Amino acid sequence: MKLLLRAGGWLGGRRGVVACLLAVTLIYLVEAFKIAPPLHNGALTASFFPVLLGVVMLLALAFVVRADRHADGDSAEDEAPMSESDQEATQEATQAATSGEPAPASIWQGALAVTLATGLYISLFASVGYFLSTFAYAFAMMLIFGAGRPALRSLGFKALVAVVIALLGYALFELVFQVRLPTLWR
């Protein structure tokens, strides 16, 4: 029973989140390779971008793991002098982040929101087209990762940025990679 409690505590910590993301990314990457080889006769296939996304995610996770290891190996001698209260706060924060202590609920809520938004994006992509689904997804991501309740002016700016993201993505896929994206007018 103690082992289960200890594993549950580790899984809820920062390292547990990284381990879960690593497992999901590896499964995603394996499934992406099952679609088709990323390149066939010099042309991109349907699996190219999922494989690219999986590789980018693995690289990002590698940087997180490396940063955690680097933080664990740092000594107080390498840092600029801090007050005693700052040192205690830093030690407590580092210990909480790298130990098996549970992550704050906001981390799991954010991860769940991103997962749900991504699932909704994937399910809407073919039916409502690239522009509408990508705009909504980019806008949702900015709201999820934004701090607090945004002002009306901020919402307008976020909507503009989401439109630019959708347009740049469309140009990249259609013009550079020559991949036809689903749209409402085709």
Side-chain angles (χ1 to χ4, degrees):
M1 185 66 176
K2 273 187 174 181
L3 182 61
L4 284 175
L5 290 174
R6 183 187 262 174
W10 179 83
L11 189 58
R14 181 180 174 133
R15 289 182 180 168
V17 171
V18 171
C20 288
L21 286 173
L22 180 62
V24 168
T25 302
L26 289 174
I27 292 168
Y28 175 83
L29 198 55
V30 168
E31 292 299 317
F33 274 113
K34 286 182 180 178
I35 296 171
L39 296 171
H40 183 70
N41 294 334
L44 302 178
T45 65
S47 70
F48 179 79
F49 289 105
V51 168
L52 180 64
L53 180 63
V55 169
V56 167
M57 184 66 175
L58 286 176
L59 290 173
L61 288 170
F63 282 117
V64 169
V65 168
R66 185 169 185 248
D68 277 351
R69 285 192 178 169
H70 187 266
D72 288 345
D74 282 347
S75 66
E77 299 166 359
D78 297 337
E79 299 174 359
M82 290 192 287
S83 70
E84 189 174 311
S85 63
D86 286 343
Q87 287 177 350
E88 288 175 11
T90 303
Q91 287 173 348
E92 289 173 10
T94 303
Q95 184 179 10
T98 58
S99 72
E101 292 181 21
S106 61
I107 291 175
W108 289 109
Q109 290 170 349
L112 180 62
V114 168
T115 303
L116 291 174
T118 303
L120 186 62
Y121 173 66
I122 291 167
S123 66
L124 291 177
F125 189 80
S127 60
V128 300
Y130 170 80
F131 279 111
L132 188 56
S133 60
T134 302
F135 166 77
Y137 183 69
F139 188 70
M141 288 298 113
M142 286 186 272
L143 290 178
I144 290 169
F145 289 109
R149 190 174 194 154
L152 187 58
R153 183 176 181 193
S154 176
L155 285 176
F157 179 73
K158 289 176 192 282
L160 178 65
V161 170
V163 167
V164 170
I165 288 170
L167 288 172
L168 288 175
Y170 186 79
L172 178 72
F173 282 96
E174 288 280 340
L175 302 175
V176 176
F177 297 124
Q178 297 178 351
V179 174
R180 298 196 81 182
L181 297 170
T183 57
L184 291 175
W185 57 86
R186 280 192 215 167

